[in-house]
Amino acid sequence: EVLGTGATIGMFASQAWVSHKRPKIYGDGGCFLFRASPDPECYKWRPSEDDTQCDALLEQFQVSSEQYIAMGANKDGSSGLRLNEDMTRGESAPAAGFNNEPLAGSASDAFEVGVVEVYRLVREIDGVPVDGEDDHPAWALK
């Protein structure tokens, strides 16, 4: 939830987020950005048909460090969606690989976060995580 705007935005990560001392890139083309309200929209990753785009920027699916998590990247250092380490502030800008609009609205790239929800997909029949990373340290947090 983006405070003061009524917007609900998010990202789907294809791998569990991990804190790193230095920024690390991971994930794959299954990642996507979305806006649930207002005006729902899903921005799936897709390779560029423009030869001038830098492949390294296009393939920055998930990026994390001790200071932030982010999805998507640009030459100017902005991200499709970036949340700070305690998830109280964020920013959103068009990202090269996702071709998204600023998710929180065009009034400002930076915003304050109201509520953060985290979901993990599991199989209904046995509760086994779909991502197969049951022993990942991120899921040990209570």
Side-chain angles (χ1 to χ4, degrees), residues 11-89:
M11 52 189 152
F12 175 82
S14 61
Q15 295 181 8
W17 293 100
V18 181
S19 176
H20 301 280
K21 294 229 182 260
R22 298 176 51 108
K24 180 171 166 105
I25 300 168
Y26 49 103
D28 58 34
C31 294
F32 61 87
L33 299 167
F34 65 90
R35 181 179 50 246
S37 68
D39 304 318
E41 188 75 44
C42 181
Y43 300 97
K44 296 179 182 178
W45 178 84
R46 55 184 170 260
S48 175
E49 296 175 11
D50 180 1
D51 291 338
T52 64
Q53 291 284 355
C54 173
D55 285 342
L57 284 176
L58 291 174
E59 295 179 1
Q60 288 194 33
F61 307 107
Q62 294 174 240
V63 182
S64 62
S65 72
E66 291 179 333
Q67 290 78 37
Y68 65 88
I69 62 172
M71 190 170 288
N74 294 303
K75 290 180 183 179
D76 66 3
S78 62
S79 301
L81 182 55
R82 181 178 179 149
L83 299 173
N84 70 350
E85 72 276 0
D86 63 0
M87 297 189 184
T88 59
R89 297 202 43 81

Side-chain angles (χ1 to χ4, degrees), residues 89-123:
R89 297 202 43 81
E91 63 182 54
S92 178
F98 293 92
N99 197 30
N100 62 293
E101 300 171 0
L103 299 175
S106 58
S108 174
D109 292 343
F111 55 87
E112 289 188 45
V113 176
V115 175
V116 175
E117 294 183 18
V118 179
Y119 296 92
R120 185 176 192 202
L121 303 176
V122 296
R123 297 187 312 213

